Structure formats: C-alpha cells, structure tokens
Amino acid sequence: MTIYLHENAELQVARKAILSAHALLVLLLGLTAFGALTLLQKGTTPDFKTLSPSAVGFYFLLWLGMFVCQILGYYKLAKVGRNLLIFRCVAFPYIADALLSLFLLLAVPKASITQIFNFKIITFFLYAYYSYKLFYELSRVTEDNYFRQGILLLGFCLTLLLFIVGISRGALILFSFLFLVGMLVGWGMIFVGFFRLKHINTP
C-alpha cells in the first residue's frame, strides 16, 4: 500500500518536523564551528566556566528543539508507514548513549575529557550503524536512492578522518577540503530526499 503526502496530514507533519530538525542541526553545527574558530583565533584553551549562561541556555534550547523535532518526525513517519524499524533506528542510539553515559558517570565519577571521548567512540559507531540502517530503509520505502547514496557518502567522508593523522600539511588541506565538500553533499542529498518526499510504502 502506498500513502501519498498530499493525502495524509501525519505524513506532512513528519516531513516538516524532520526538515526542521535538519535545519536546527545545521544551525547548531554552525554556532559550534563559529565558537571553535573564535577560540582558535584567540589562542586560548576552552574554558566552559567562562561561557555566558544565556548563550549556553540558547544552545541547549536549540539542541532540545532539534531532538524533539527529530523524535516527533520519525515517530510520525514510522507510524504512517507502519514500520517500527524507522523509529527504532533513531531512538536506540539515543537510549544507548544515555545508558552508557550514566554507566561512565557511575563507574568513573571524575572521568577526564580523554576518557569521555574514548567512551563516546562506542556511541559514535552505534549512531553510524543505525543511521545507515535508517536511510537504507527510507530509500526502500520511499523509492528514493538519495537517502542511501547520501549516507554512504557521509560514511566515506568519515573514513577520511582515519588517514588525517600523520600526513603532511598539503595533504591535510586536501583531505579537509574533500571531507567538508563530501559531508555537505551527502547531508544535502539526505535533506533533498526529505524535501521531495511524496509518498511512503507500507507493508
């Protein structure tokens, strides 16, 4: 059975919520990159205690808005498509991340930044795995290969990070440029896939 966008209000809500989540994520990444560049130009070590409470609150509200839009959008999409896998691929990494973070907090109360980063690598692979499953499934039910091609391109770009360590300055600039362009194109393909979403197939 095929459900068309113009005939289903819930599918329209799902599409708008997911597009809003992507827009908020772009804004968050832009603010993060701007803050990082500002700190690099000043040559200072990041000190989160000196950050403005209003700036932190605004950043948190944006993140919370993105999270709510993402969960709502994919929940509605899974509900309309009668496909639990779609919502599970979004929800499970968040749940696993929260549980692993709680475990780290209880096991190592005074964990260093390095320990937290190393621990977060586990959740990074969970997000990567379930993101691939999610967009592969979306390509199947929407008959739009942009989702699968976009996530494959993002995965290829992330593998470039493995080759950055120990390379020359010239190669580093090239790899960074390819990484940035590839990430933008891959992400753009996924965004376009949602933007031109017209229908979804149900079991």
Side-chain angles (χ1 to χ4, degrees), residues 129-160:
Y129 172 72
Y130 280 99
S131 293
Y132 172 76
K133 288 191 67 175
L134 169 66
F135 292 113
Y136 185 89
E137 183 66 12
L138 284 174
S139 284
R140 187 184 69 81
V141 298
T142 63
E143 300 175 344
D144 191 340
N145 287 327
Y146 262 39
F147 294 111
R148 182 169 62 246
Q149 293 169 356
I151 195 63
L152 286 174
L153 183 55
L154 287 176
F156 171 75
C157 292
L158 289 174
T159 58
L160 290 177

Side-chain angles (χ1 to χ4, degrees), residues 182-193:
M183 291 291 286
L184 290 174
V185 173
W187 204 351
M189 291 176 71
I190 292 173
F191 186 85
V192 169

Side-chain angles (χ1 to χ4, degrees), residues 151-194:
I151 195 63
L152 286 174
L153 183 55
L154 287 176
F156 171 75
C157 292
L158 289 174
T159 58
L160 290 177
L161 296 177
L162 301 175
F163 300 97
I164 287 180
V165 180
I167 62 176
S168 64
R169 182 178 178 82
L172 178 60
I173 294 174
L174 176 62
F175 270 83
S176 299
F177 176 75
L178 291 175
F179 173 79
L180 180 61
V181 171
M183 291 291 286
L184 290 174
V185 173
W187 204 351
M189 291 176 71
I190 292 173
F191 186 85
V192 169
F194 283 114

Side-chain angles (χ1 to χ4, degrees), residues 116-127:
I116 294 174
F117 177 78
N118 291 335
F119 203 77
K120 286 293 182 180
I121 291 177
I122 300 173
T123 58
F124 170 78
F125 282 111
L126 282 174
Y127 279 111

Side-chain angles (χ1 to χ4, degrees), residues 17-192:
I18 293 172
L19 288 174
S20 298
H22 278 269
L24 288 172
L25 182 57
V26 171
L27 181 58
L28 282 168
L29 290 176
L31 290 173
T32 303
F34 177 77
L37 287 174
T38 303
L39 289 173
L40 287 174
Q41 288 177 349
K42 291 181 178 180
T44 58
T45 304
D47 186 1
F48 297 105
K49 295 180 181 178
T50 61
L51 294 176
S52 168
S54 58
V56 174
F58 178 68
Y59 189 89
F60 176 76
L61 284 177
L62 287 177
W63 185 91
L64 184 62
M66 181 205 70
F67 175 77
V68 171
C69 287
Q70 189 179 45
I71 293 298
L72 173 65
Y74 283 109
Y75 169 76
K76 290 284 187 182
L77 192 64
K79 182 181 177 182
V80 172
R82 300 174 186 173
N83 191 329
L84 184 60
L85 179 62
I86 292 175
F87 184 70
R88 190 167 57 200
C89 287
V90 175
F92 183 76
Y94 281 117
I95 295 171
D97 192 5
L99 291 175
L100 288 171
S101 298
L102 180 61
F103 171 77
L104 179 63
L105 182 63
L106 294 174
V108 190
K110 297 181 179 180
S112 65
I113 297 297
T114 303
Q115 289 174 318
I116 294 174
F117 177 78
N118 291 335
F119 203 77
K120 286 293 182 180
I121 291 177
I122 300 173
T123 58
F124 170 78
F125 282 111
L126 282 174
Y127 279 111
Y129 172 72
Y130 280 99
S131 293
Y132 172 76
K133 288 191 67 175
L134 169 66
F135 292 113
Y136 185 89
E137 183 66 12
L138 284 174
S139 284
R140 187 184 69 81
V141 298
T142 63
E143 300 175 344
D144 191 340
N145 287 327
Y146 262 39
F147 294 111
R148 182 169 62 246
Q149 293 169 356
I151 195 63
L152 286 174
L153 183 55
L154 287 176
F156 171 75
C157 292
L158 289 174
T159 58
L160 290 177
L161 296 177
L162 301 175
F163 300 97
I164 287 180
V165 180
I167 62 176
S168 64
R169 182 178 178 82
L172 178 60
I173 294 174
L174 176 62
F175 270 83
S176 299
F177 176 75
L178 291 175
F179 173 79
L180 180 61
V181 171
M183 291 291 286
L184 290 174
V185 173
W187 204 351
M189 291 176 71
I190 292 173
F191 186 85
V192 169

